[in-house]
Every structure is written in C-alpha cells, then in structure tokens.
Amino acid sequence: MRDFGGTTVVVSGAATGLGRALCERFGRAGSRIVALDRDAAALRRAVEALQASGVSALGCDCDVTDEAACRQAIQAGAARFGGIDLLVCNAGISHHGEFVRTLPDVIRRVMAVNFLGAMHCTHAALPELLARRGMVVAISSVAGFAPLVGRTGYAASKHALHGFFDSLRSEVADAGVAVMLVCPSFIATDIDRHALDPQGNPYRGTKAIAGKTATPAEIADLIYEAARRERRLVLPGATARIAWWLSRLAPAGYARIMARRMRL
C-alpha cells in the first residue's frame, strides 16, 4: 500500500473535470500538486482553489504536445517540491465522425494530445520517478481495449497508451516504479464539448454514446484507492468491466452492440 502523504503528484489536464478532481483527491491525502494545463485561466482558478483548501500546489501552463514545455513543467515541479513521486497522464481530447469523413490532421491532433502528450510527460518525469521509486498513472478508456465506432483516432490513441505503458512497466518494474492504466467508460466531463468534428472544428453534435455517467470525484476516488494498491489495470464501474469481458469473449457481439448504440 502506497502512502501519498507528503509526496509530489503531477497531473496533466488538471484545470477541469477528472484532472481537477484528481488534484483535489490527492491533495486531501496530503500530496503536493503540480497541475499542468494549456487553459491558463482555468488552471489559475483550480490552483487557487487547491491552495485555499490548504493544498500546496503549483500551476504550470503546458501544452502536452510540446515536448519542451512538458520537460520545463516537470522540472519546475521537481525544483519547487524536491522531486516527483507520481505522474498522472490525464490530458486528452476526442473527436466524432466516421473515418471516411475525417481529415487525417484530426487524427494526428488526437494522437498528439492523447498519446504523444503522455509520452512527453513520462519521458520528462521518468528520471525522478526512478530515483524515488514512483508511479505513473495513465488515464485510458474503454476505447483503449475495444473498438469505438465514429472515433477511430481516439480509440487508436488509447490503444497506443496500453502498448506503451504495458511495455514501460516491464522496463521499470525491477526499479520499483509502478505503472497503472485506468479505463473509465462515461464520466461527466467536458471532453465532448471540446471534441473535434471531422474537419477539425469544435464538435457541435450530441454525446456519441448514451450511458450512465460517473462524476469526476467518484472516478478520482477509485483511482486514488487503486493507486495506493498499485493496481496494473483499473476498470471503474460495471460498464467498463462488462465491456472488458464482452470484448474478449464475444468481440463480434460487442462490436454490434456498440454500433447500435452509436449516434454519429
């Protein structure tokens, strides 16, 4: 069981939604928070709220697609708090639309944020994590292990996280660094509001898949408890667990069910 009291936790995509909830949850456990986000105004509000609640927090403006910005932010957090113990790769973006109608640049943008952003942050933080026997938590999705109609780029980016972090785990386990993948289903966040349409413009349609949503705070609690136990894979909620097993035991059936529920 890990104890996060007195540790330094870096969270990307920290200004709103699940990222902010994770900052709050680890902050309540006594962690020092390094919050990364490209929305400077929202980041400032989040950090001020953390500090007002007694949490030691540093905000760093950071676009995770910029490798140098990620390295600078990680170094700033380590310098401020004396090291990095946990990295949470949470920053993400989605898109909606059949691949035949989607510009390749949209897929590239999604991959740049969801996969390369996580890789940039991890590469920058890994020396600190190795030195302190730390931990990486990557926020994936049900789309990280199963198909998702109408969001090929999003699914590809999340599948890539699994290949990357499962492989990284095998490299760093003997050094005492833990790696955990989290695959939520539906969370009440603004990811759809900030999603891209097939031409790369803001998506103005309805939510793509109907389903019961969890609050960011509920998922943050589950992630915190799983991180304490150094779980390798976390499937928060019944929907994620059902999707995991159904996609493996009856993949064709899973694809048909998912396609019927899809609204493009």
Side-chain angles (χ1 to χ4, degrees):
M1 294 282 286
R2 285 186 179 246
D3 180 2
F4 291 103
T7 63
T8 300
V9 177
V10 177
V11 181
S12 68
T16 60
L18 179 58
R20 180 164 177 172
L22 286 165
C23 291
E24 293 168 350
R25 183 63 188 87
F26 281 94
R28 289 199 304 274
S31 299
R32 300 176 291 265
I33 303 298
V34 182
L36 278 54
D37 206 286
R38 66 192 297 267
D39 185 336
L43 178 64
R44 183 176 63 255
R45 291 191 294 271
V47 170
E48 288 173 351
L50 287 168
Q51 293 171 338
S53 67
V55 176
S56 296
L58 171 68
C60 297
D61 296 352
C62 180
D63 182 341
V64 295
T65 66
D66 184 336
E67 180 184 357
C70 293
R71 195 166 303 281
Q72 182 177 6
I74 297 293
Q75 290 173 349
R80 174 73 169 270
F81 295 123
I84 303 296
D85 300 281
L86 171 65
L87 169 67
V88 182
C89 298
N90 169 73
I93 190 172
S94 188
H95 72 99
H96 296 271
E98 293 173 299
F99 180 63
V100 70
R101 300 187 294 113
T102 301
L103 296 176
D105 278 347
V106 173
I107 308 297
R108 293 189 188 98
R109 173 62 181 167
V110 172
M111 290 294 295
V113 175
N114 295 359
F115 173 62
L116 293 179
M119 184 273 289
H120 291 157
C121 290
T122 303
H123 193 266
L126 194 54
E128 289 286 338
L129 299 176
L130 288 167
R132 299 166 73 89
R133 301 176 70 85
M135 185 174 189
V136 183
V137 174
I139 307 302
S140 179
S141 163
V142 167
F145 58 77
L148 185 57
V149 171
R151 285 190 276 180
T152 52
Y154 182 79
S157 69
K158 297 300 187 178
H159 274 68
L161 289 179
H162 286 246
F164 177 81
F165 283 106
D166 283 339
S167 299
L168 178 65
R169 183 188 296 112
S170 68
E171 295 183 8
V172 299
D174 288 346
V177 176
V179 176
M180 185 174 88
L181 280 155
V182 183
C183 300
S185 52
F186 309 113
I187 312 176
T189 69
D190 287 337
I191 190 168
D192 277 310
R193 187 167 67 86
H194 296 299
L196 305 176
D197 71 9
Q199 283 69 52
N201 301 311
Y203 176 68
R204 300 304 183 197
T206 58
K207 187 176 178 180
I209 298 178
K212 182 179 179 181
T213 58
T215 67
E218 289 170 338
I219 300 300
D221 283 340
L222 291 172
I223 291 171
Y224 172 78
E225 293 299 334
R228 291 186 66 214
R229 291 165 172 78
E230 294 190 1
R231 296 272 302 279
R232 293 164 60 96
L233 177 68
V234 183
L235 304 171
T239 299
R241 292 191 292 272
I242 291 169
W244 171 267
W245 288 111
L246 186 57
S247 65
R248 275 150 180 74
L249 299 175
Y254 176 88
R256 286 194 298 270
I257 293 169
M258 183 264 303
R260 283 199 300 268
R261 297 179 64 192
M262 190 72 191
R263 295 197 302 267
L264 293 176

